Amino acid sequence: MSDRIKEKLEILADAAKYDVSCSSSGSNRKNKDHGLGNTGAGICHTYTEDGRCVSLLKILLTNHCIYDCAYCVSRKSNDIKRAAFTVQEVVDLTINFYRRNYIEGLFLSSGIFKDADFTMERLVLIAKKLRREHNFNGYIHLKTIPAASPELIHEAGLYADRLSINLEIPTDAGLKLLAPEKNRKDMIRPMTYLKDQLIKTKEEGKLFKTTPKFAPAGQSTQLIIGASGESDQQIITAANYFYNKFNMKRVYYSGYVPISYDKRLPTIGTAVPTARENRLYQSDWLMRFYGFQADEIVNESHPLLDLDIDPKLSWALRNMDRFPIDINKDDYQLILRVPGIGVGSAQKIVAARKFGPLHIEHLRKIGVAINRAKYFISCKGFLQIYADKRADLIKSYILNSSKSKYTSSTTQQLQLF
Amino acid sequence: MREVDLYFDGTWEGILTSIFEMFEYKIMPLSLSHTAARQKGMFQTAHDVVSQQDKADRVKKGLIEKIGRNGYLELWHAFLSELPDVPLLIIRLARHYFQSEQPERLNFGHDLVLRLKKIVKSVSRERHRMKAFARFQRLQDGLFVALIEPDFNVLPLIRKHFQDRYADQRWLIFDIRRHYGLYYDEHTTSEVTFADPGNLANSRTLVDLYAADEPLYADLWKRYFKSVNIVERKNMKLHLQHVPRRYWRHLHEKSFGLDA
């Protein structure tokens, strides 16, 4: 018995690992009636050897699937070991892992067996059992199965903290090529339903304290990077669209890990585009926390992100006329635009300058990366250096004064051309 | 203003009392050290602070009025770091706060303030790590035990977190470096010490007391940890940055009982 559960766990955790989301924050479910668990601490309980956070028990209910999406390891035509958990097995694993402080909760997804509703029903049943029978108040993230009925999605929202549907392929053309059986509309419909429900619950919550929680950590989605030849502009534009149109809490970017000899995809052995993935996350942060518009980061004349420098520095070099920023006078929003100054440093600068003008030494102690910032700022006793030099020269000065962790991967790319 | 070396009993009350007496006796502190470190013959410039609850309470109240509850907690968190320069840093900052009209806590251009923020950040990081890395092991009598060895004395800072979260199970979190722990009996949490730590000496000696299902779940966790890793993305530098080696000996997935 215990050997079979060990094997199942290995198969179904392995199959779930390409879903990069492992967030457990954004919800503040309290421990109620002396029960088990609460939510909101956003803790990573360990990290895998690839450096990713492990916060949740992330598994598939089953990896049996009626679909044959080329990019997916669980596709019907793939010759792999198949397994399925029972509802009770998932509940027991979650509770016992949680009680030992291994995890913040459960992230449950599934291959689609029989049909969408049949699969969705079982996911909901597990969440319901955890909440109702075990008074479990830890985090639950459920995958919404495309084309599942609104009633089931609604019920899922009553028990889960977060719901998500992965778009996976950023472009319609790519989806048609790689997952011809899948229909973009089947994914968009539940997203729209969730967005409306989330807004409705929020408004009702303002009026009635007793309004039941509905997916308090909102909805998220994932885009696979580097499987269908899409440009960074297409990815960032898609992400921006989903943030604005569907109030997404997060859009995740997952560098494609080759798992197939399918001619339509990068072959096995191709490097995972981790540098590009990192630049996309930096761009995502610029949009969410730094007040950047999507088209400031990528646009028709600049459709690809630089791999050798971060997108904020790249924007600054393309807009040298916007600098220097005066550290002691300019607004917070402008200080945020300076390469080498993050949100934390910008807040400290704005607080500290009330006590007196800041010098370059102050900035260094606050934690500003002076080697980059010095080309874009002025402050007490310091003028922007090389204000008259061309952007490409400044770029080379910066690259020479720092060592990127991606140096080897970018030089490899350059050699191709 | 006399320049003086201060000595105290190592407690937080002692620090607060030192702040009181610094003003009471118009002292400019040159150092603040534990009484045990005091050398005979230095009496000319030395002042012994004897912890007094009423003085400590008045300073606490005054600090909270001046810099708010968060400002006060910042100083206490820094104290829990147990770093040698921290007692003096705290009383110097207290003097600075009391003597200024401005909300000096936010003066990130000030060296003492920056040093404090840095220490508070380290303590906060260690607190967070203990919330993350404390691993309960279930014993035969149903007690869940976690052994920890934090860099700083963060047990007081994680008490509420574990009490709120694990309200329906009995648990003990024991700091084996500082020889004390927190015990929760499903109603209240109390501080405990043991004359003889016995099986609590380290994680391996606990194994004899395991509940029947403990080895199964420890093993499942290790398998889970291996299975979610993506080999093609291996990045040990990042891994070690997040899970430094010094924490491994209490993590199932990284060390003890791991099959070779």
Side-chain angles (χ1 to χ4, degrees):
Chain A
M1 170 57 208
S2 76
D3 282 348
R4 181 60 188 145
I5 189 90
K6 286 173 187 172
E7 193 189 14
K8 280 189 191 180
L9 181 62
E10 285 172 343
I11 293 171
L12 295 170
D14 183 86
K17 71 188 179 187
Y18 300 100
D19 209 313
V20 293
S21 164
C22 208
S23 155
S24 58
S25 54
S27 180
N28 63 341
R29 201 177 284 276
K30 298 265 184 300
N31 187 323
K32 101 177 170 273
D33 303 332
H34 221 70
L36 175 63
N38 55 15
T39 305
I43 295 169
C44 298
H45 285 276
T46 192
Y47 289 80
T48 50
E49 292 192 346
D50 57 29
R52 289 178 311 143
C53 162
V54 180
S55 175
L56 304 169
L57 170 62
K58 180 160 48 180
I59 47 175
L60 300 190
L61 179 58
T62 177
N63 63 341
H64 288 283
C65 194
I66 55 173
Y67 286 103
D68 203 37
C69 309
Y71 52 81
C72 180
V73 73
S74 301
R75 66 189 178 279
K76 189 172 63 180
S77 63
N78 202 15
D79 181 21
I80 50 164
K81 274 193 188 170
R82 306 278 168 173
F85 280 124
T86 65
V87 168
Q88 194 58 44
E89 282 169 343
V90 176
V91 170
D92 287 345
L93 272 173
T94 307
I95 296 288
N96 278 289
F97 276 15
Y98 195 88
R99 286 201 181 283
R100 288 165 174 79
N101 205 34
Y102 296 165
I103 53 169
E104 290 291 292
L106 173 68
F107 180 165
L108 188 61
S109 178
S110 185
I112 298 165
F113 50 103
K114 248 172 113 173
D115 61 47
D117 275 357
F118 192 84
T119 310
M120 192 70 208
E121 242 172 55
R122 262 139 203 87
L123 300 187
V124 172
L125 185 61
I126 288 168
K128 184 177 179 176
K129 245 179 138 80
L130 282 167
R131 294 279 191 239
R132 289 276 181 83
E133 290 175 26
H134 294 267
N135 192 7
F136 176 73
N137 305 290
Y139 194 87
I140 300 179
H141 180 158
L142 290 186
K143 206 96 251 168
T144 314
I145 305 299
S149 71
E151 292 76 27
L152 279 171
I153 294 171
H154 185 81
E155 208 186 345
L158 295 178
Y159 305 118
D161 292 284
R162 173 168 286 179
L163 296 169
S164 65
I165 298 181
N166 286 355
L167 284 162
E168 306 294 22
I169 303 300
T171 61
D172 287 338
L175 192 69
K176 236 176 225 141
L177 177 71
L178 297 172
E181 307 154 299
K182 272 205 181 148
N183 184 341
R184 176 86 49 178
K185 281 203 193 95
D186 289 341
M187 303 183 202
I188 299 292
R189 208 177 306 116
M191 280 183 187
T192 314
Y193 177 81
L194 281 174
K195 187 201 74 174
D196 294 342
Q197 281 297 313
L198 286 164
I199 292 172
K200 201 174 125 206
T201 313
K202 205 173 171 186
E203 278 166 6
E204 282 174 8
K206 282 182 201 154
L207 296 173
F208 310 105
K209 257 197 149 168
T210 50
T211 307
K213 276 190 193 309
F214 185 86
Q219 61 170 333
S220 64
T221 190
Q222 167 173 293
L223 299 171
I224 295 178
I225 306 312
S228 61
E230 70 294 320
S231 73
D232 293 323
Q233 190 192 3
Q234 282 171 314
I235 295 167
I236 288 172
T237 309
N240 187 48
Y241 176 80
F242 283 97
Y243 276 125
N244 293 332
K245 187 98 179 171
F246 299 97
N247 299 356
M248 289 284 163
K249 274 278 164 60
R250 288 289 301 274
V251 175
Y252 291 93
Y253 310 92
S254 175
Y256 178 70
V257 181
I259 40 103
S260 156
Y261 288 104
D262 193 312
K263 289 261 164 27
R264 294 168 287 177
L265 288 161
T267 52
I268 289 180
T270 312
V272 182
T274 48
R276 186 178 175 207
E277 186 188 282
N278 180 241
R279 296 299 181 217
L280 282 163
Y281 274 110
Q282 289 175 323
S283 307
D284 189 273
W285 252 246
L286 290 182
M287 292 196 285
R288 292 193 300 136
F289 303 118
Y290 289 76
F292 277 74
Q293 299 300 316
D295 61 4
E296 290 183 292
I297 302 165
V298 277
N299 47 49
E300 285 305 322
S301 58
H302 184 74
L304 298 178
L305 294 167
D306 296 310
L307 287 183
D308 55 349
I309 55 171
D310 66 81
K312 189 167 151 190
L313 177 57
S314 172
W315 173 84
L317 291 170
R318 277 178 278 129
N319 293 276
M320 289 304 285
D321 56 317
R322 305 276 287 264
F323 298 97
I325 299 293
D326 186 332
I327 290 296
N328 288 303
K329 287 207 184 75
D330 280 325
D331 284 349
Y332 172 74
Q333 283 300 333
L334 289 174
I335 290 176
L336 269 186
R337 295 252 162 178
V338 177
I341 298 183
V343 171
S345 302
Q347 286 171 348
K348 284 185 185 141
I349 287 168
V350 174
R353 68 187 184 184
K354 291 182 189 148
F355 294 86
L358 300 177
H359 300 246
I360 200 93
E361 261 322 296
H362 289 133
L363 298 183
R364 199 187 302 279
K365 283 184 185 161
I366 280 173
V368 172
I370 301 293
N371 70 324
R372 270 175 292 156
K374 65 185 174 187
Y375 303 100
F376 305 97
I377 57 167
S378 60
C379 58
K380 174 99 173 163
F382 180 85
L383 290 171
Q384 177 190 25
I385 62 169
Y386 300 133
D388 54 333
K389 292 264 206 273
R390 290 199 332 260
D392 55 339
L393 274 173
I394 291 175
K395 176 176 168 179
S396 71
Y397 296 150
I398 291 174
L399 284 178
N400 285 334
S401 71
S402 59
K403 198 167 155 46
S404 165
K405 59 188 163 190
Y406 296 121
T407 311
S408 56
S409 60
T410 51
T411 46
Q412 253 175 14
Q413 278 213 343
L414 290 175
Q415 281 160 4
L416 293 172
F417 299 101
Chain B
M1 192 75 63
R2 271 192 316 141
E3 292 191 331
V4 171
D5 291 303
L6 292 176
Y7 294 92
F8 80 124
D9 60 5
T11 65
W12 178 239
E13 282 69 35
I15 298 260
L16 295 176
T17 310
S18 306
I19 295 170
F20 191 95
E21 299 196 348
M22 178 171 68
F23 287 104
E24 185 180 20
Y25 299 114
K26 297 191 168 53
I27 289 168
M28 176 61 84
L30 291 174
S31 66
L32 175 57
S33 328
H34 197 284
T35 316
R38 176 153 185 191
Q39 289 173 342
K40 295 269 186 270
M42 304 276 291
F43 51 86
Q44 287 232 317
T45 62
H47 174 88
D48 286 293
V49 176
V50 180
S51 291
Q52 291 173 52
Q53 197 60 49
D54 57 327
K55 286 183 178 178
D57 287 344
R58 280 178 63 187
V59 170
K60 178 178 173 182
K61 192 162 164 278
L63 277 171
I64 291 174
E65 264 169 35
K66 189 76 188 174
I67 55 174
R69 189 157 179 82
N70 287 341
Y72 171 76
L73 288 177
E74 243 175 26
L75 295 175
W76 181 53
H77 290 188
F79 170 72
L80 294 176
S81 75
E82 301 170 331
L83 294 169
D85 70 320
V86 158
L88 184 63
L89 175 72
I90 292 171
I91 64 171
R92 280 187 172 166
L93 268 169
R95 171 195 291 277
H96 183 63
Y97 289 158
F98 278 128
Q99 288 177 339
S100 171
E101 292 303 313
Q102 303 231 51
E104 284 290 324
R105 274 186 67 212
L106 301 175
N107 187 354
F108 296 96
H110 193 287
D111 280 345
L112 293 183
V113 176
L114 277 178
R115 169 80 185 138
L116 177 79
K117 301 285 174 188
K118 207 173 154 194
I119 295 167
V120 168
K121 196 170 177 185
S122 308
V123 172
S124 166
R125 194 178 295 131
E126 193 67 2
R127 162 177 60 178
H128 190 79
R129 278 185 178 138
M130 288 306 118
K131 288 182 190 174
F133 296 156
R135 292 280 191 271
F136 285 123
Q137 302 165 71
R138 189 159 167 251
L139 307 187
Q140 285 143 19
D141 64 353
L143 179 69
F144 285 84
V145 176
L147 302 181
I148 60 171
E149 288 177 84
D151 290 348
F152 307 125
N153 182 20
V154 294
L155 256 188
L157 304 180
I158 59 176
R159 176 182 186 138
K160 190 177 176 325
H161 170 80
F162 282 98
Q163 187 178 298
D164 289 348
R165 174 165 289 196
Y166 296 105
D168 71 340
Q169 68 189 45
R170 283 192 308 128
W171 51 259
L172 169 72
I173 304 175
F174 195 75
D175 182 338
I176 60 176
R177 183 181 293 180
R178 291 169 190 81
H179 312 291
Y180 82 109
L182 296 175
Y183 171 67
Y184 173 76
D185 64 1
E186 293 190 48
H187 299 284
T188 48
T189 312
S190 33
E191 224 176 271
V192 289
T193 54
F194 300 95
D196 170 20
N199 292 70
L200 291 177
N202 66 62
S203 291
R204 284 176 197 282
T205 49
L206 273 182
V207 174
D208 301 338
L209 305 178
Y210 274 178
D213 67 353
E214 182 58 29
L216 170 67
Y217 284 106
D219 183 69
L220 285 169
W221 174 244
K222 281 185 282 186
R223 286 170 196 272
Y224 175 70
F225 176 75
K226 272 192 204 162
S227 304
V228 287
N229 182 42
I230 299 178
V231 179
E232 293 89 335
R233 300 181 59 117
K234 188 166 176 164
N235 186 347
M236 285 308 277
K237 197 179 152 199
L238 189 58
H239 173 70
L240 287 171
Q241 194 179 313
H242 286 307
V243 194
R245 279 180 203 276
R246 63 182 182 282
Y247 301 101
W248 286 16
R249 49 185 300 219
H250 296 293
L251 299 175
H252 276 301
E253 69 271 22
K254 291 310 298 179
S255 68
F256 73 95
L258 198 69
D259 40 8

